[in-house]
Amino acid sequence: MGIAADIIIIVIASLAGGLVAKLFRQPLILGYILAGVVIGPHTGGIAASSVHNIEKLAEIGVALLLFALGLEFSLQELKPVRKIALIGTPLQIILTQAFGFALGAWWGLDWQSALWFGALISLSSTMVVLKTLMSQGWMGTLSSRVMIGMLIVQDLAVVPMMIILPELSHPETGLPILALSILKAAIFLFLMIFLGTNLIPRLLRYIAGWNSRELFLVSVVTIGLGIGYGTYWFGLSFAFGAFIAGMVLSESDYGHQALSEIIPLRDIFGLLFFSSVGMLLDPVFLWTHATTILLLIVLVIVGKGLIFAGLSRLFQYRNVIPLAVGLGLFQVGEFSFVLARVGLNTNSISTELYSLVLSLTVSTMFLTPFLSSLTQPIYSFFRARAKREPLQTINLPKYGLSDHVVIAGGGQVGQNIARILEQFDVKFVLVEVDFHRFEQLKALSYPCIFGDAGQAIVLEASKIRKAKLLLITAPSALFSQTVATHAHVISPDLKIMARAISIEHMKTLHSRGVYEVVQPEFEASLEFTRQALLHFKVPPDRIQQFMDAVRYELYAPLYDADSSYRTLSQLQSASRLLDLNWLSLPEESPLIGHSIEELRIRTMTGVSIVAVIRAATLCPNPAPDFVFKDQDLIGILGEAAQLQAFEEWTKGNPGHSPLAA
């Protein structure tokens, strides 16, 4: 079967490698690379017959990877961290290239190879970092936004690198050729923006009108790969054209659908790419150069980590952010594979340098989840020994704080809570570390403290020992866990409520003393469901019973050891056996104008009248002489069969009326 058999073997091996990676909580791409090593020619693998052909197919994977990157690209994602992303990232690339150039020269490389080495290690791994952030529950934190912003710009920097570096590696061709390449790229970019923004949307609009997903997918692939092939004939990079095509398409109305259609195809061809990378990894080279590789791993981790941390400090990021960014972005990324492949194909780098970069990349990727998890322990260790800075406070009561609510997080959720508490004259203080938000709180005249609530000194300033309640409103898992831990140590009996982003996060918070957890996404889904069911005329009491049951299924497993929640569980069980229902009396109901005693409700149906709501006024436990009126909302208690009998009776069924007996 030739190449077909090799592809089948690669897919099967990659599945096995992916399962191994998931088992050890590593990114899938590492499993794919491992699969390539096992079945590759350097290990005598079974897919060694047509590695060159696999590499050709892998080029499609690179193009689709960059095409998808272009489709996902959005300037909106860069706005919150645009300064460090757009200015700091180019500085980081330049500094890391200089650092890598020095390492390459120390290793004995010529200046062209050393330049390539610096460029290759300057890139970090978007895939690995995103996976690490999600698995550790750090998505949504300010440090994660900084990292993602810098990664986006790094990924974009790959494109000009692929154009410029091959020309710089061959100075004999002269600067005119390099200038010509840049001019070609500019002309192509102009043509794509001018023609692509007009023709491509019209084409996709026409094709979408056929309502054929298959034809739409073929069209999207044709646009991405076709334009990429056009740039190849234009004398530019195949992958560069695919990226520009994706970026242009992302601005149309069909960008999101195009991305959703292309992702499965991208992942399959990406599998071939990363597997082919593994096939080129020589274990013998790894063993022979083990000392050099280990030393380079240490130097790259330390060097890149310090560069990222230093730039974070330079752009006025404080607290845990520089450390988190440094320990999160130190690795060499997957786009280094793409760039290294370009260098290898253009004879700009040697096979030995390619193998060295490959080994360095895989090793640092593996180390990322472990080193990133050390962020909080290291930060807490040094923070405990750091000099305490004076805290800025505003609008705190002169008589001091006591029996108040501490709100950790002055974002929109924290401000909404503060607004409501103020209306009920409940004392509170907001704690916010973001200076711009702190200024907003000052403008609203809210009592607030500028500082990181994750620090004991800040919590002490909020008079946490005298507080009745702590509300952690920020979505960050790292932040909420840190605040809860410190608060529990300072005031063990304090009630803590926190916002969670996942079930795992809820469990962690509960283990750290948080007595109640709110999951906004889950509660929002319940509210959507409630509104939908009301639209379909489902009785409100049935909706509420359903909501309570769903909440119980989600939250109950987290509080099995909590006596109060066990009581709630018992009450939930009782409610399923003995239902409280609310019924509104229609105008023609035979109950209207008669008293509870006259109707003998309990005797006839078995239900008990526990409350009546009349004109927005609640009458609990009405007396026997209470007379029903039109539109009364009656609260009744009983078993399901009894409730059904009473409901039929209120509708005027003579078979259930005691007055008819």
Side-chain angles (χ1 to χ4, degrees):
M1 294 179 64
I3 189 173
D6 285 333
I7 292 174
I8 294 172
I9 292 169
I10 290 171
V11 171
I12 295 173
S14 298
L15 173 60
L19 293 174
V20 172
K22 291 294 289 184
L23 182 64
F24 290 96
R25 298 183 177 182
Q26 296 294 325
L28 289 177
I29 58 174
L30 298 183
Y32 301 155
I33 295 171
L34 178 63
V37 173
V38 173
I39 64 176
H42 298 292
T43 55
I46 54 179
S49 61
S50 55
V51 175
H52 180 71
N53 292 330
I54 298 297
E55 290 177 357
K56 293 295 183 183
L57 288 175
E59 291 183 14
I60 299 176
V62 175
L64 290 174
L65 191 65
L66 286 169
F67 182 49
L69 176 65
L71 285 170
E72 292 177 297
F73 177 69
S74 174
L75 288 173
Q76 296 296 324
E77 298 181 19
L78 296 179
K79 281 187 177 181
V81 292
R82 57 185 178 276
K83 289 185 178 180
I84 191 171
L86 297 176
I87 301 174
T89 306
L91 284 175
Q92 173 267 316
I93 292 174
I94 293 172
L95 291 173
T96 309
Q97 280 187 319
F99 173 67
F101 184 88
L103 287 180
W106 165 79
W107 196 44
L109 300 176
D110 58 76
W111 74 267
Q112 294 100 331
S113 299
L115 183 67
W116 270 89
F117 181 74
L120 292 170
I121 70 168
S122 68
L123 304 173
S124 302
S125 174
T126 303
M127 292 184 179
V128 172
V129 171
L130 288 178
K131 174 65 177 176
T132 301
L133 291 172
M134 288 186 288
S135 63
Q136 297 180 348
W138 293 356
M139 291 296 290
T141 62
L142 181 56
S143 57
S144 71
R145 291 197 293 270
V146 171
M147 283 187 267
I148 292 172
M150 298 187 78
L151 285 168
I152 290 173
V153 177
Q154 276 191 2
D155 292 344
L156 296 178
V158 174
V159 178
M161 283 182 178
M162 289 191 298
I163 298 174
I164 296 172
L165 283 173
E167 301 297 339
L168 290 177
S169 300
H170 301 88
E172 68 274 5
T173 59
L175 292 178
I177 295 181
L178 176 59
L180 182 61
S181 298
I182 297 174
L183 180 62
K184 287 181 179 179
I187 294 173
F188 174 77
L189 185 61
F190 174 77
L191 290 175
M192 281 298 304
I193 294 175
F194 181 75
L195 298 176
T197 53
N198 292 286
L199 296 179
I200 291 177
R202 291 182 181 180
L203 174 63
L204 289 178
R205 187 183 303 113
Y206 176 77
I207 293 173
W210 291 86
N211 290 322
S212 172
R213 293 189 62 177
E214 182 179 353
L215 191 60
F216 186 84
L217 172 61
V218 173
S219 304
V220 170
V221 174
T222 301
I223 291 171
L225 298 183
I227 293 175
Y229 193 64
T231 58
Y232 173 76
W233 280 106
F234 202 61
L236 299 173
S237 167
F238 179 37
F240 171 72
F243 171 78
I244 298 299
M247 192 172 66
V248 172
L249 187 55
S250 69
E251 298 300 320
S252 72
D253 296 334
Y254 308 96
H256 296 293
Q257 183 61 29
L259 180 61
S260 66
E261 297 286 357
I262 205 70
I263 282 177
L265 195 62
R266 177 204 66 183
D267 292 342
I268 291 296
F269 278 94
L271 177 151
L272 293 176
F273 170 72
F274 289 113
S275 298
S276 68
V277 168
M279 289 181 182
L280 296 177
L281 184 63
D282 188 357
V284 177
F285 176 87
L286 194 63
W287 177 258
T288 306
H289 299 81
T291 303
T292 301
I293 293 173
L294 287 174
L295 182 58
L296 284 175
I297 289 173
V298 174
L299 291 174
V300 168
I301 291 174
V302 174
K304 286 189 70 176
L306 290 175
I307 289 172
F308 277 108
L311 285 171
S312 299
R313 291 283 296 182
L314 181 65
F315 282 85
Q316 305 302 310
Y317 291 99
R318 296 291 186 266
N319 300 312
V320 74
I321 295 174
L323 182 62
V325 174
L327 290 178
L329 298 180
F330 68 84
Q331 75 289 127
V332 183
E334 59 273 356
F335 277 109
S336 296
F337 296 149
V338 178
L339 190 59
R341 183 65 63 86
V342 173
L344 197 63
N345 293 338
T346 57
N347 296 318
S348 300
I349 62 175
S350 64
T351 304
E352 185 180 21
L353 180 57
Y354 183 87
S355 299
L356 177 70
V357 172
L358 208 61
S359 304
L360 187 61
T361 303
V362 175
S363 302
T364 53
M365 281 182 172
F366 269 116
L367 291 171
T368 298
F370 171 72
L371 292 181
S372 182
S373 67
L374 299 177
T375 299
Q376 187 55 39
I378 294 175
Y379 177 71
S380 299
F381 176 81
F382 285 103
R383 187 67 180 181
R385 290 156 177 78
K387 181 180 179 181
R388 294 184 173 182
E389 300 177 357
L391 295 171
Q392 185 179 352
T393 62
I394 192 72
N395 297 325
L396 296 185
K398 296 180 180 179
Y399 52 81
L401 291 166
S402 62
D403 296 331
H404 59 291
V405 179
V406 178
I407 306 173
Q412 194 60 56
V413 175
Q415 292 180 29
N416 290 337
I417 296 172
R419 189 179 302 112
I420 297 171
L421 293 180
E422 191 175 46
Q423 293 177 2
F424 284 88
D425 294 324
V426 176
K427 294 181 291 184
F428 65 89
V429 61
L430 286 146
V431 183
E432 178 56 56
V433 72
D434 185 283
F435 183 75
H436 298 291
R437 285 182 180 172
F438 181 71
E439 291 296 312
Q440 291 177 359
L441 299 175
K442 288 171 59 177
L444 294 170
S445 299
Y446 289 149
C448 52
I449 297 172
F450 179 72
D452 182 2
Q455 302 303 316
I457 184 176
V458 179
L459 290 176
E460 292 280 7
S462 71
K463 304 300 180 185
I464 196 77
R465 298 180 189 273
K466 297 181 179 180
K468 278 196 171 182
L469 185 65
L470 168 63
L471 306 180
I472 307 173
T473 63
S476 166
L478 179 62
F479 175 77
S480 58
Q481 293 167 18
T482 305
V483 175
T485 300
H486 287 304
H488 189 65
V489 172
I490 297 172
S491 183
D493 297 328
L494 177 68
K495 296 293 187 181
I496 306 174
M497 297 178 62
R499 179 177 175 180
I501 60 176
S502 65
I503 298 294
E504 291 73 18
H505 189 199
M506 293 169 64
K507 293 179 180 178
T508 302
L509 290 173
H510 182 60
S511 68
R512 301 193 181 191
V514 178
Y515 92 106
E516 189 166 338
V517 179
V518 177
Q519 196 173 352
E521 291 78 9
F522 173 74
E523 296 296 333
S525 67
L526 288 185
E527 181 61 21
F528 272 110
T529 306
R530 187 183 72 84
Q531 295 287 353
L533 293 176
L534 286 173
H535 182 77
F536 285 97
K537 310 299 182 184
V538 178
D541 61 290
R542 289 186 60 192
I543 297 175
Q544 189 59 49
Q545 291 172 8
F546 172 75
M547 298 300 172
D548 291 341
V550 173
R551 283 193 178 94
Y552 173 77
E553 291 177 3
L554 177 69
Y555 293 113
L558 307 179
Y559 302 92
D560 288 338
D562 193 299
S563 60
S564 61
Y565 207 87
R566 283 201 303 271
T567 303
L568 180 60
S569 175
Q570 293 170 346
L571 293 173
Q572 291 280 2
S573 299
S575 69
R576 288 191 289 269
L577 299 174
L578 196 64
D579 290 335
L580 175 63
N581 211 338
W582 291 90
L583 294 175
S584 180
L585 291 183
E587 295 180 359
E588 67 279 3
S589 175
L591 276 66
I592 296 175
H594 299 279
S595 67
I596 296 175
E597 184 179 20
E598 182 183 2
L599 294 168
R600 297 182 293 157
I601 294 175
R602 183 177 297 176
T603 303
M604 298 304 298
T605 63
V607 304
S608 298
I609 307 297
V610 296
V612 178
I613 299 177
R614 178 177 294 171
T617 301
L618 176 65
C619 179
N621 195 22
D625 60 351
F626 185 91
V627 179
F628 293 111
K629 292 184 178 181
D630 181 27
Q631 299 303 314
D632 278 350
L633 189 62
I634 306 174
I636 54 177
L637 193 65
E639 298 179 353
Q642 296 170 337
L643 296 177
Q644 181 66 29
F646 183 80
E647 185 176 0
E648 293 292 332
W649 182 20
T650 61
K651 295 177 181 178
N653 189 330
H656 293 83
S657 175
L659 300 178

